[in-house]
Amino acid sequence: EAGKKPATTKKAVAKKPAPAGVGGLASILGSIASSHRAPTAKEIELRKKKKEAEEERTRELKAERENYKNFVGFQLNSFIEEAREYYEFPPTDSVHRIIAKDEAEERGCVAISHGEKEDEKRVFVFPDGKGPNELESRYLKMGGSVPELVERRARGDTFQEYNTHFSLNDCKLVTKVRAKNAGAAGEEVEDEIQSRKIHDRHVDATQAKEMANKLRESRQEAAQLFLEGD
């Protein structure tokens, strides 16, 4: 008809692709929404049983440790009354070793853990003042045993071979006087440092030399005065 505009066909408009990450975000939001849903009766029952099992296990551990504490106390009281040289507990884990040590210290005793392997470690208890000294502790760390330590003590052993401390008291100065030449008026003083006892075979040679030099210097003046007096 006259005056009417011709009909136009609509072009199909292509949809733009969703931005990257939108799908992942929707998935996350969906999982959050599902996580906030009310738990089912079965899930509630499972959670309840799990909590009850954990509480029961906690009560059992507490009761077991309390029983062990009573056992330790009984053994220690008998040990103190009988005035024995030491008491040896059976091998046990670190938690039970702590219990034994705490109970021993409360009674004024000395307690140590000893054993090469973890499953062999146990607590040894000594009367007050009778625990291993520094040298004896070193002996134990190097593979010694408590029963042998006690036996060596009884023989009067002082474990000096485990002394790694180097002291000037372990040295002495030997002064030698000799003629430089036959009939010569002058004399030469030769100082020698001799070790009386150095128990550590691994003493640093440099440290030993420095200490020996200090000793030599402190004695040189006295040696010179001795020669001048002659």
Side-chain angles (χ1 to χ4, degrees):
E1 295 177 359
K4 289 185 178 180
K5 293 181 179 181
T8 58
T9 58
K10 294 183 179 179
K11 294 183 179 180
V13 179
K15 294 183 179 180
K16 295 182 179 179
V22 171
L25 178 60
S27 176
I28 293 173
L29 293 174
S31 63
I32 293 175
S34 62
S35 65
H36 284 78
R37 66 177 176 79
T40 64
K42 185 176 181 180
E43 289 174 339
I44 294 174
E45 184 65 21
L46 289 175
R47 292 177 186 176
K48 181 179 178 182
K49 289 182 177 180
K50 183 178 179 180
K51 183 178 180 181
E52 289 175 349
E54 291 176 350
E55 292 175 348
E56 179 63 22
R57 178 57 180 163
T58 300
R59 286 193 296 269
E60 289 176 356
L61 287 174
K62 185 176 180 180
E64 190 273 333
R65 290 172 183 174
E66 188 66 27
N67 290 336
Y68 186 76
K69 180 178 178 181
N70 294 334
F71 162 76
V72 168
F74 178 80
Q75 298 297 329
L76 289 175
N77 291 338
S78 299
F79 162 70
I80 295 172
E81 291 175 3
E82 296 171 7
R84 284 181 277 171
E85 295 188 41
Y86 73 95
Y87 181 80
E88 175 183 346
F89 282 100
T92 186
D93 58 40
S94 60
V95 174
H96 291 79
R97 293 199 300 271
I98 291 174
I99 293 174
K101 286 182 178 181
D102 289 344
E103 291 297 307
E105 291 172 0
E106 285 183 6
R107 290 164 172 79
C109 298
V110 179
I112 64 168
S113 291
H114 182 60
E116 293 185 7
K117 299 178 181 179
E118 183 63 28
D119 59 354
E120 296 176 353
K121 288 185 178 180
R122 65 197 71 196
V123 172
F124 291 87
V125 182
F126 299 84
D128 185 26
K130 297 292 184 65
N133 59 31
E134 182 179 354
L135 299 184
E136 293 172 341
S137 297
R138 192 169 297 155
Y139 157 76
L140 292 175
K141 289 179 181 179
M142 295 178 68
S145 66
V146 172
E148 186 177 349
L149 182 150
V150 174
E151 290 179 6
R152 292 180 63 171
R153 273 183 179 178
R155 297 196 301 265
D157 195 334
T158 57
F159 297 85
Q160 284 300 318
E161 66 268 30
Y162 297 94
N163 183 6
T164 60
H165 178 67
F166 184 88
S167 171
L168 291 177
N169 295 327
D170 295 331
C171 296
K172 65 178 179 180
L173 179 69
V174 178
T175 302
K176 292 184 178 180
V177 180
R178 69 183 181 209
K180 289 183 179 179
N181 300 301
E187 292 181 333
E188 177 182 335
V189 177
E190 178 182 316
D191 295 332
E192 293 183 357
I193 301 297
Q194 295 186 348
S195 174
R196 284 204 302 262
K197 50 178 181 178
I198 302 179
H199 303 296
D200 186 11
R201 293 187 297 272
H202 306 290
V203 171
D204 185 357
T206 302
Q207 179 186 4
K209 185 177 179 180
E210 291 176 354
M211 299 181 74
N213 287 338
K214 290 180 180 180
L215 178 61
R216 178 180 300 174
E217 291 170 1
S218 67
R219 299 290 182 86
Q220 279 182 344
E221 183 177 357
Q224 186 64 32
L225 292 174
F226 169 77
L227 292 174
E228 291 176 357
D230 289 343

